[in-house]
Amino acid sequence: MDLRERKEFEARVPEIAAAVEKKPVGWINPRLVSMKELPKDLAVTVEDIDDAEARLERFAPYIMKQFPETEKDGGLIESPFVEIPKMKELLKERHGCELAGRLYLKEDSQLVIAGSIKARGGIYEILKYAETLAIENGLLKTTDDYSILASQEFVDFFGRYTIQVGSTGNLGLSIGIISAKLGFKVIVHMSHDARQWKKDLLRSKGVTVKEYESDYGEAVKQGRKESDSDPTSYFVDDENSRDLFMGYSVAPRRLKKQLEAAGVFVDQDHPLFVYLPCGIGGAPGGIAYGLKTVFGDNVHCFFTEPVDSCCMLLGMATGLHDQVCVQDFGISGKTHADGLAVGRPSAFVVKFMEPMLSGIFTTGDAVLYDYMRDLMEAEGVFIEPSSCAAFAFAEVPERLGDYIKSQGLEEKQENITHIAWATGGRLVPEDVKEEYVHTHLA
C-alpha cells in the first residue's frame, strides 16, 4: 500500500486514522446484515456444527480417561459462566463506562488441558485428524468406545506422524499438549511474542519448540514450509483452518444451556452482546458464527483488539480483508497482548464474518493491565492481559451507545446481557502472574 492510498483510507474512515495514532476506537460495521439476508452458500453450515459437536461427544470417553479433571463434565472441555457485577461498577468508577444491563464473564481462561480458548479449536482439529488417520487405517470405527485411543497400540500408531503449527503461544499449547498425549511427534514454531513459560511448558510435554526472532507470520511460514516437505507431517493452519473454526463454533450451544441455567433470557426484548478478543480471527470468528446460529439477530458480536495489532479492524474497515496488514499503516504489530499479536487477519474469517460482525473495539496495552488488576480486585478472578481486551468497549462507551441507538435498542438497553469472553489464564505460573500485577505501562 502506498502512502497516498493509506492517507485516503485515514481520511475516509475516522477509526483508521485514530488507530494509526494509537487511540482506542469503536468501529461499527456498515456491512452488517440480518441472518435472513446472508448468502445461502456459506462456507460453513449448521450441519457442520452438528458434525463437530458429535465428534467431540465421541471423544469424550478418551478425554475423560486421559484428563480426569474433565470427569465432572463427562469428558467435555467446558468453562464456567459467571456474573461480574463488581467489575461492572469498577468500569464505571475508573473508566467512565456506565454500562446498562448486566455483565458476565465466560471463563474460557479456565478451560482444562490447555488453559485457554484454544482448548476448543486446537484440540478439536487434532482429534479430528487423529480420528481420520485411525479410521482410514482400519483401526477405529465411529461406533467404538474412543477410550481405546489411549492404548499403547494407538500411541505407537500416531507416533509415526508429526503435527506442526505456528503460534504466538496459546494455540501452540493446545496443539502441543493434546498431540503429545495422543502420541504424535510435535513441533511448535513460535514467534518472539510468545512468553517463555509457554515454551518451557511445551518442552516439558516432549514438544519441540522452534523460536524465531521475527513475528507470527514468519513462524507460520516456516512451520508450513517444513511440514510441506514431510509427507507424514500435518500442519495446523491458523490462518485458514476450517477445522479450528468448527471446534470453536460448538461453544455457543453449551453457552445457551448455561444462560438458561442462570435464568438469562435472549430474545428480541433481551439482546445479547458478546465481546471476543481477536488475533488472527479463528477463535472469535468460530464462536461468533456459532452464536449467530443459536441466537440469530438477537446476539450482537464484537471483536476486540490491541491498538498495536488491530489487523481485523483494518481488514474490515478498508474492505481489503487479508490484503492489508498493520504495517501498511505504520502500526508495529508488537503488543503485550501476546496471544493477539497478529499483523494480518485470517483470509477465511475476515470475509466470512464481514456480514455478521457488529463491530470492533480496540484498546491500548497499558489499559489491559488495569483491567486485569480491576478484575482481580473486584471479582477475585485472574485472566491474562490478552483476555482483558474483552473489556475494550469500556474505553469508548459512546461508540457502544451509538451502536445501541443504530439498532433501535435504546429502550431495551437495561435488558442487555453483556458477555466478556475471557480467553486465557489458567496455566499462567504464579511468578508470571506477579509480574503482570506489577506491570504498569505509560
Side-chain angles (χ1 to χ4, degrees):
M1 177 181 294
D2 60 33
L3 183 60
R4 179 188 59 79
E5 188 176 9
R6 168 183 160 179
K7 291 300 180 183
E8 286 179 357
F9 278 121
E10 290 179 29
R12 192 186 320 151
V13 185
E15 292 86 356
I16 292 179
V20 169
E21 294 178 11
K22 296 191 175 183
K23 295 178 180 177
V25 302
W27 174 75
I28 299 173
N29 183 11
R31 301 181 184 90
L32 173 68
V33 300
S34 68
M35 290 295 284
K36 64 182 180 181
E37 295 177 277
L38 290 177
K40 302 301 181 185
D41 57 345
L42 289 175
V44 177
T45 67
V46 172
E47 289 71 29
D48 293 323
I49 304 178
D50 293 340
D51 179 61
E53 184 176 35
R55 181 168 291 105
L56 289 171
E57 289 174 356
R58 288 198 296 274
F59 269 98
Y62 170 80
I63 295 295
M64 190 159 46
K65 184 172 184 176
Q66 295 292 70
F67 302 95
E69 61 269 36
T70 66
E71 285 184 7
K72 64 181 178 64
D73 292 314
L76 299 182
I77 302 168
E78 199 41 72
S79 69
F81 172 71
V82 296
E83 187 170 10
I84 47 173
K86 295 177 182 177
M87 182 62 176
K88 179 188 169 186
E89 288 303 310
L90 276 190
L91 291 179
K92 176 182 177 181
E93 176 186 329
R94 296 179 179 174
H95 303 278
C97 177
E98 192 162 357
L99 194 66
R102 300 169 73 177
L103 179 61
Y104 289 80
L105 188 70
K106 178 56 175 162
E107 293 186 272
D108 272 9
S109 50
Q110 291 300 311
L111 284 171
V112 297
I113 303 178
S116 80
I117 194 172
K118 302 299 184 180
R120 297 187 185 278
I123 289 176
Y124 173 78
E125 176 152 353
I126 299 306
L127 294 180
K128 182 181 179 184
Y129 177 60
E131 180 187 59
T132 300
L133 281 178
I135 289 174
E136 287 179 349
N137 285 271
L139 299 176
L140 183 72
K141 300 187 295 294
T142 57
T143 54
D144 287 339
D145 177 346
Y146 275 32
S147 64
I148 63 174
L149 291 164
S151 69
Q152 193 60 45
E153 176 190 4
F154 281 95
V155 170
D156 292 341
F157 169 69
F158 292 132
R160 292 155 43 187
Y161 299 89
T162 300
I163 303 291
Q164 301 198 50
V165 64
S167 174
T168 59
N170 284 342
L171 180 64
L173 281 180
S174 71
I175 297 294
I177 291 171
I178 191 63
S179 298
K181 179 66 74 171
L182 281 159
F184 290 106
K185 299 183 187 74
V186 197
I187 302 174
V188 178
H189 303 261
M190 297 188 111
S191 62
H192 66 86
D193 309 283
R195 299 285 300 191
Q196 187 61 45
W197 70 264
K198 296 181 182 180
K199 299 172 186 175
D200 294 341
L201 179 57
L202 280 169
R203 289 180 173 127
S204 75
K205 302 290 185 182
V207 174
T208 298
V209 177
K210 295 191 176 183
E211 302 181 50
Y212 299 86
E213 287 302 317
S214 49
D215 64 8
Y216 167 82
E218 185 62 25
V220 172
K221 179 181 177 182
Q222 289 302 317
R224 183 183 290 112
K225 181 179 179 182
E226 287 190 23
S227 186
D228 287 347
S229 67
D230 180 358
T232 66
S233 179
Y234 177 84
F235 185 70
V236 179
D237 187 354
D238 197 14
E239 295 180 356
N240 300 293
S241 174
R242 193 171 178 276
D243 288 335
L244 283 177
F245 189 90
M246 296 317 307
Y248 300 120
S249 69
V250 175
R253 297 186 175 191
R254 300 177 184 173
L255 174 67
K256 183 176 185 292
K257 296 176 183 177
Q258 291 179 314
L259 287 166
E260 291 170 352
V264 176
F265 298 98
V266 180
D267 55 31
Q268 192 171 2
D269 294 320
H270 301 83
L272 180 65
F273 280 44
V274 183
Y275 310 94
L276 298 148
C278 179
I280 200 166
I287 289 173
Y289 176 61
L291 285 165
K292 298 298 281 190
T293 64
V294 172
F295 301 108
D297 295 331
N298 297 321
V299 65
H300 306 263
C301 302
F302 300 87
F303 289 171
T304 61
E305 300 182 289
V307 166
D308 290 302
S309 191
C310 54
C311 64
M312 192 64 71
L313 169 69
L314 296 177
M316 284 205 179
T318 61
L320 296 177
H321 302 143
D322 63 310
Q323 299 305 303
V324 66
C325 66
V326 297
Q327 288 82 7
D328 289 336
F329 284 86
I331 299 171
S332 69
K334 297 178 180 179
T335 169
H336 280 239
D338 57 319
L340 310 182
V342 179
R344 189 184 303 274
S346 160
F348 168 57
V349 175
V350 70
K351 294 172 185 174
F352 187 83
M353 284 307 304
E354 189 173 59
M356 289 179 257
L357 191 68
S358 292
I360 298 173
F361 292 99
T362 67
T363 178
D365 281 2
V367 190
L368 293 177
Y369 289 100
D370 292 336
Y371 289 144
M372 181 198 70
R373 285 183 285 268
D374 290 343
L375 187 62
M376 292 176 72
E377 176 187 332
E379 306 288 350
V381 173
F382 168 79
I383 62 177
E384 283 186 290
S386 292
S387 288
C388 294
F391 297 109
F393 62 85
E395 287 175 78
V396 281
E398 68 280 1
R399 293 299 287 154
L400 185 58
D402 290 342
Y403 177 81
I404 289 171
K405 184 177 180 180
S406 73
Q407 296 297 302
L409 299 175
E410 289 172 288
E411 294 182 2
K412 302 174 183 177
Q413 57 184 323
E414 290 295 337
N415 297 334
I416 296 175
T417 297
H418 300 269
I419 300 178
W421 205 291
T423 52
R426 180 187 179 98
L427 298 183
V428 177
E430 288 301 320
D431 62 325
V432 177
K433 288 183 184 178
E434 279 299 305
E435 176 192 331
Y436 287 154
V437 168
H438 294 98
T439 298
H440 295 269
L441 305 178

